[in-house]
Amino acid sequence: MNLFTEFQVKDMTLRNRVVLPPMDMYCATENSFPTDAHFVHYVSRALGGTGLIIMEATGVLPRGRISDNCLGLWSDEHIEPLHKIVAACQARGAKVAIQLNHAGRKCSAKAEPYIHAPSPIAFSDEYRTPREISKDEIIEVVDAFRTAAKRAYLAGFDALEIHAAHGYLISEFLSPITNHRTDEYGGSLENRCRLLKEVLAAVRQEWPENKPLLMRVSAEDYLPEGIHPEEMADIINQVKQYIDIVDVSTGGVAMAPIKVFPGYQVRPAELIKAKCGLPVIAVGLIKDPEVAEEIISNGRADLVGLGREQFRNPNWVLNVARDYGVEYPWPDSYKEAFEARK
């Protein structure tokens, strides 16, 4: 199966094409440190055969968290607890990335007295109305991404992902639905891309050139006035000199009807791969080996992300290898179970 072929980008070689995408756990301490639950969760997927693990959205500032119980990387004290998880996953054959994020108007952390966004528009009635972020505050956010990238390197991560999707701060600047600014950060596509460019350039000051930099995008806003895959491809082409892999998702910018089905986000990934010439990760309710294999074998994407399915089945990779007769280096403790045919 092509699903089990190696994939290399820069100095990172993955043992297969299966990714655990960044799925929020909401179980960090109040100071945004990882817990035993994080260790067990991520290390078990490494043991289960996952090629690339992308740790959940991690706030670059306290106000950048999605919730009070999301991970953070705004202080040096966060480095060592994350390093323990990274090293344990790497010891079991997986490569590990971390997703850096600023939640923008979708921050629901009760510890924060106010929240920021490009424009003072609430996500819904259940969310607070954000303050319009000032230019000085934009500079602080960009620097926070830069210093978080440095800490991610010190924590030993193999790759870094910038969260520019799902209606969080960078995504809010990109979409005309949420960005109504009239300064150099709003209006034209070039202006709406300005924060993203500044963040990527700043991160690259600290993140080594030989290590992969990923970017997660929402390729479809599902509203007429929003971003669609062709425009997202144009955005990516404006910043492609900074990134190595595009993690393609959709939605989250505003409340919108979305028809979901297995592989529903593969087509946007395929379009971006073709128009941008970069490797892509395809996601979207993928769970069946045949679907994952078709995506890889037909060149529609380079990697496939299985989130919910790997939550249900941490040994998805091992089980698929066994079921399809793929020769695989089973973990020593598991060999008897996986090599036995009964």
Side-chain angles (χ1 to χ4, degrees):
M1 297 179 76
N2 289 316
L3 192 63
F4 286 87
T5 57
E6 290 185 347
F7 181 77
Q8 181 168 357
V9 56
K10 293 197 169 173
D11 71 351
M12 183 177 75
T13 301
L14 304 179
R15 57 185 170 181
N16 55 54
R17 305 301 184 97
V18 179
V19 178
L20 177 70
M23 303 280 284
D24 296 319
M25 298 285 290
Y26 303 113
C27 62
T29 69
E30 290 184 0
N31 293 319
S32 294
F33 288 92
T35 63
D36 289 347
H38 288 98
F39 187 92
V40 171
H41 173 71
Y42 290 115
V43 176
S44 65
R45 273 70 191 175
L47 187 64
T50 303
L52 174 64
I53 293 169
I54 307 177
M55 290 183 66
E56 65 209 78
T58 300
V60 298
L61 289 168
R63 193 168 293 114
R65 296 172 294 172
I66 299 171
S67 76
D68 288 297
N69 297 111
C70 287
L71 292 176
L73 195 48
W74 61 79
S75 77
D76 289 348
E77 286 71 28
H78 290 110
I79 296 172
E80 183 55 31
L82 289 170
H83 171 69
K84 290 179 180 178
I85 298 174
V86 173
C89 290
Q90 291 168 336
R92 289 156 181 84
K95 302 298 184 181
V96 192
I98 188 168
Q99 185 187 69
L100 299 183
N101 186 41
H102 190 298
R105 71 176 186 167
K106 293 177 83 172
C107 171
S108 61
K110 296 180 176 61
E112 300 308 313
Y114 62 91
I115 56 177
H116 283 144
S119 302
I121 307 167
F123 178 71
S124 72
D125 292 341
E126 298 177 1
Y127 284 78
R128 290 175 285 178
T129 298
R131 295 184 183 183
E132 180 171 297
I133 190 169
S134 70
K135 293 180 183 179
D136 286 342
E137 290 166 332
I138 288 174
I139 293 172
E140 292 175 3
V141 167
V142 172
D143 193 60
F145 272 96
R146 180 187 66 79
T147 55
K150 181 178 181 178
R151 296 186 188 103
Y153 173 71
L154 294 174
F157 285 95
D158 300 289
L160 186 68
E161 180 169 278
I162 300 302
H163 203 342
H166 299 164
Y168 299 119
L169 186 67
I170 296 175
S171 176
E172 291 163 16
F173 270 89
L174 294 176
S175 178
I177 294 173
T178 44
N179 185 346
H180 295 181
R181 298 174 76 98
T182 57
D183 62 6
E184 66 268 34
Y185 287 93
S188 68
L189 180 65
E190 182 178 0
N191 283 356
R192 287 184 279 121
C193 288
R194 193 175 304 276
L195 175 63
L196 174 61
K197 290 179 181 178
E198 291 175 351
V199 166
L200 291 172
V203 163
R204 270 302 184 192
Q205 292 176 18
E206 302 289 351
W207 189 250
E209 188 60 36
N210 64 312
K211 287 187 171 293
L213 182 60
L214 289 67
M215 181 171 74
R216 190 161 226 205
V217 299
S218 284
E220 176 60 71
D221 286 347
Y222 296 102
L223 293 170
E225 66 272 28
I227 289 176
H228 307 295
E230 292 78 6
E231 185 177 22
M232 180 51 68
D234 292 339
I235 291 171
I236 293 166
N237 280 329
Q238 289 200 27
V239 298
K240 66 185 295 183
Q241 68 269 30
Y242 297 111
I243 57 178
D244 303 294
I245 301 175
V246 186
D247 188 356
V248 184
S249 186
T250 62
V253 172
M255 303 296 287
I258 304 175
K259 183 179 180 180
V260 301
F261 51 86
Y264 74 100
Q265 295 173 131
V266 174
R267 180 63 185 125
E270 187 176 11
L271 183 146
I272 286 171
K273 177 177 170 65
K275 288 187 173 292
C276 301
L278 289 168
V280 299
I281 303 171
V283 299
L285 300 183
I286 299 168
K287 64 177 183 177
D288 293 327
E290 293 86 354
V291 174
E293 177 68 14
E294 183 276 327
I295 292 167
I296 299 299
S297 295
N298 286 325
R300 303 176 70 193
D302 302 273
L303 302 164
V304 290
L306 289 81
R308 296 178 192 180
E309 183 60 20
Q310 287 193 85
F311 273 34
R312 292 185 287 261
N313 182 2
N315 293 327
W316 188 89
V317 172
L318 298 183
N319 285 326
V320 171
R322 182 175 186 269
D323 291 345
Y324 285 80
V326 177
E327 291 188 11
Y328 198 81
W330 317 111
D332 288 341
S333 301
Y334 290 6
K335 280 185 177 179
E336 184 175 353
F338 282 93
E339 290 180 349
R341 301 316 301 169
K342 293 183 179 181

